[in-house]
Amino acid sequence: MQYIIKLFPEIIVKSRPVRKNFTRQLADNLRKLLKSVDPDIVVTREWDRITVNTAVTAPGELAELVGIMSRTPGIAHFLEVVESPFTDLHNIYEQTQAELGASLSGKRFAVRCKRSGQHEFNSGEVERYVGGGLNQNTDAAGVDLTKPEVVIRLEVREDKLLMVRRRYEGLGGFPIGSIDSAVSLISGGFDSTVSTYMSMRRGMRTHFCFFNLGGREHEVGVKEVALYLWMRFGASHRVQFITVPFEDVVAEILKNVENSQMGVILKRMMLRAASQVAAKLEAPALVTGESVAQVSSQTLQNLSVIDSVTETLVLRPLITSDKQDIISTAAKIGTEEFAANMPEYCGVISVKPTTRARPERIAAQEENFDFAVLDRAIETAVYTNIDQLAEEEITAIEVEVTPIPLPDAVILDVRHPDEIENRPLKLPNAKVQCVPFYELHRRFADLDASVTYLLYCEKGVMSRLHASHLVEQGIKNVKVYRPS
């Protein structure tokens, strides 16, 4: 099978050296990602396209390849094509009729052709000859050049004919790694997951920074959504997940800061800490999910006062977005369920929060804050490679992993529904139940406590992460199914 990758238009208008670098980065990213499905994948970079050739034929594997390409930043769209040699204009018609003629039954159609190389015909002649032949020798409802129901797309390149079977839309944006890296402040809700996705889509290698305000379940929830975002949109580049323990910072604020100023000061402490994290990772920018006036701390005046504590660039991709637009984007990228099920923990809620923070008043309040507490939080932050989060959990909590299904056990497939649809888990002598990982903790209490449950996911990351958390909670009837 062959796919032709079309570059995002903003890449095409770059200068020649920049466009070359962006295209090389995209090809490298695709090669790295697609090899997980087809180790023999061939990715070829050209000036105006990238060609992907695979020998796999299983529908599930092809669907996975298509899924990866549709989620890789830098791609405008890609085409599934059939490539073959041709002899003359009539041979082009014959091959097109054999390959695509059946798709025209009862439909009005048009033929579009692109051509490069030396030929005895031009693109218009191909369109007229092939279109006329298809109109006469198929069950098509006729030709419609204005609003066709089906468009037959052909490309003639030198001595090769490319017939487009199907077009898939891409993610757009820039290839990850083509832009400087950034640190995203992520809480797991709608806003921070969408803003993180948007920074990844724009080509930034995006690290995850989580401020733990004291909730263990919240931390696990944020780790799982970070893993999801990374595996789905950014797995071409390893990034860090940073947990900054902020319980003592919250306690210090509650103890020494005036109630109405607490929210702004908490955000200032987070930016101070995140700036040092970014400096350690050599990332020149921070990413937050704030939108103007969505909550009291996000008025323009308050954001200005918050930003004044750092010289690090703060990016806010959602700054003018409506909440419903943010939720719609979360649904589109698959994080809506995460956010809706996220166990929130907030230790600083002002009764009457200020909407117009004054720098001098904030400074006076911060004089009562012991900054040694913030320093300790920064010093004890935990940096973990994103793909090793599950291993980190297992190191602390012993979880049994089995390579084969156990008798009388039920396998819980905790993958995202999209993954399950593309590659369903089929085991002849085992019972499989699908419970998406973002619903697992809520639904596990309703499962039969006398049954052993084996958690399964494709790479064994989500399953081990959740199993370790369930075991930590005292649940004994859970293990991990990891086929060898």
Side-chain angles (χ1 to χ4, degrees):
M1 186 71 70
Q2 183 177 115
Y3 299 93
I4 294 177
I5 308 292
K6 297 294 185 177
L7 306 175
F8 184 56
E10 287 186 42
I11 298 175
I12 296 173
V13 300
K14 300 290 184 185
S15 66
R16 187 178 184 88
V18 174
R19 175 174 173 176
K20 185 177 180 180
N21 288 336
F22 275 46
T23 307
R24 181 189 297 113
Q25 184 68 67
L26 178 55
D28 289 344
N29 293 353
L30 285 168
R31 199 172 289 115
K32 185 182 301 182
L33 294 168
L34 297 175
K35 278 184 178 296
S36 65
V37 181
D38 177 8
D40 299 318
I41 200 85
V42 177
V43 179
T44 306
R45 174 171 57 91
E46 302 176 50
W47 173 244
D48 63 342
R49 69 180 68 197
I50 293 172
T51 302
V52 174
N53 284 282
T54 178
V56 303
T57 57
E61 291 180 333
L62 288 173
E64 192 170 351
L65 289 174
V66 167
I68 290 172
M69 288 185 283
S70 68
R71 299 188 301 267
T72 299
I75 297 175
H77 64 269
F78 57 100
L79 309 171
E80 178 185 319
V81 302
V82 177
E83 180 182 302
S84 61
F86 70 92
T87 54
D88 54 25
L89 194 55
H90 186 69
N91 183 242
I92 293 176
Y93 155 70
E94 289 180 324
Q95 293 193 55
T96 305
Q97 200 277 340
E99 182 67 35
L100 303 173
S103 66
L104 302 180
S105 180
K107 305 287 182 61
R108 301 184 67 80
F109 75 98
V111 177
R112 305 281 189 252
C113 179
K114 292 184 179 180
R115 187 188 62 84
S116 62
Q118 299 296 318
H119 304 99
E120 295 180 352
F121 50 79
N122 58 36
S123 298
E125 289 172 328
V126 174
E127 293 173 355
R128 289 189 291 273
Y129 190 94
V130 173
L134 293 174
N135 192 37
Q136 294 177 35
N137 299 292
T138 68
D139 295 327
V143 174
D144 187 340
L145 300 180
T146 305
K147 293 183 178 180
E149 296 174 85
V150 177
V151 177
I152 300 294
R153 300 186 185 277
L154 306 175
E155 188 166 340
V156 178
R157 292 169 61 88
E158 302 298 343
D159 61 345
K160 295 290 191 297
L161 169 66
L162 281 74
M163 294 173 284
V164 178
R165 280 181 176 170
R166 187 171 175 182
R167 170 181 167 133
Y168 299 90
E169 293 306 312
L171 196 64
F174 295 143
I176 290 182
S178 61
I179 307 295
D180 288 333
S181 60
V183 173
S184 180
L185 282 63
I186 186 165
S187 66
F190 292 103
D191 303 338
S192 66
T193 54
V194 172
S195 61
T196 301
Y197 154 77
M198 292 178 73
S199 68
M200 297 166 77
R201 179 182 178 274
R202 201 60 181 170
M204 286 172 263
R205 179 171 168 245
T206 305
H207 302 279
F208 302 86
C209 184
F210 169 63
F211 291 94
N212 191 341
L213 305 182
R216 168 62 175 158
E217 287 197 12
H218 189 188
E219 180 181 7
V220 172
V222 174
K223 283 180 176 179
E224 72 178 20
V225 75
L227 271 168
Y228 172 84
L229 285 168
W230 176 73
M231 289 192 295
R232 198 162 180 83
F233 303 109
S236 59
H237 289 70
R238 176 176 284 179
V239 297
Q240 297 276 307
F241 184 94
I242 305 96
T243 298
V244 185
F246 244 48
E247 300 97 321
D248 292 343
V249 173
V250 170
E252 184 70 14
I253 290 174
L254 290 170
K255 178 181 176 182
N256 295 312
V257 172
E258 183 181 314
N259 186 282
S260 63
Q261 312 298 310
M262 290 194 303
V264 170
I265 289 179
L266 176 62
K267 290 290 185 69
R268 283 163 63 94
M269 297 301 171
M270 288 180 173
L271 276 197
R272 287 183 171 107
S275 297
Q276 293 198 39
V277 170
K280 185 172 182 177
L281 296 175
E282 298 183 345
L286 303 175
V287 177
T288 76
E290 290 149 326
S291 175
V292 168
Q294 189 179 111
V295 295
S296 60
S297 65
Q298 295 175 20
T299 63
L300 292 179
Q301 175 67 23
N302 285 358
L303 291 175
S304 177
V305 172
I306 291 168
D307 284 2
S308 66
V309 300
T310 181
E311 293 183 357
T312 307
L313 176 65
V314 180
L315 303 176
R316 294 186 170 91
L318 307 179
I319 196 64
T320 60
S321 298
D322 298 330
K323 189 66 176 184
Q324 188 54 52
D325 293 335
I326 296 170
I327 293 173
S328 296
T329 301
K332 177 183 175 182
I333 65 176
T335 60
E336 181 183 26
E337 293 289 345
F338 288 97
N341 289 281
M342 187 64 62
E344 292 286 356
Y345 180 92
C346 185
V348 176
I349 301 177
S350 299
V351 177
K352 293 183 179 180
T354 181
T355 58
R356 296 191 61 81
R358 299 203 304 270
E360 65 277 7
R361 187 172 181 182
I362 292 294
Q365 288 293 309
E366 288 186 347
E367 287 182 1
N368 301 323
F369 184 91
D370 182 1
F371 277 87
V373 176
L374 179 64
D375 293 338
R376 283 196 299 272
I378 296 170
E379 291 168 3
T380 55
V382 178
Y383 293 71
T384 308
N385 287 334
I386 188 74
D387 55 336
Q388 294 178 348
L389 283 180
E391 298 297 339
E392 178 192 57
E393 296 292 321
I394 291 172
T395 300
I397 307 296
E398 186 175 347
V399 178
E400 183 177 341
V401 179
T402 175
I404 58 173
L406 301 178
D408 300 322
V410 174
I411 297 176
L412 295 184
D413 190 338
V414 300
R415 293 176 295 167
H416 192 278
D418 290 348
E419 295 179 80
I420 295 174
E421 183 179 354
N422 287 337
R423 301 187 72 171
L425 179 64
K426 296 180 179 179
L427 298 172
N429 298 313
K431 183 177 180 181
V432 179
Q433 185 175 344
C434 298
V435 181
F437 54 85
Y438 48 76
E439 296 181 356
L440 182 63
H441 292 270
R442 176 171 57 83
R443 292 173 56 180
F444 200 89
D446 298 327
L447 298 178
D448 188 343
S450 65
V451 173
T452 297
Y453 293 96
L454 309 180
L455 307 192
Y456 167 80
C457 69
E458 194 81 42
K459 293 182 170 59
V461 178
M462 288 292 189
S463 56
R464 287 179 290 172
L465 177 64
H466 283 277
S468 65
H469 186 47
L470 289 169
V471 169
E472 183 186 37
Q473 292 177 320
I475 296 173
K476 305 298 185 183
N477 60 326
V478 62
K479 305 180 191 299
V480 171
Y481 170 52
R482 180 69 173 144
S484 56

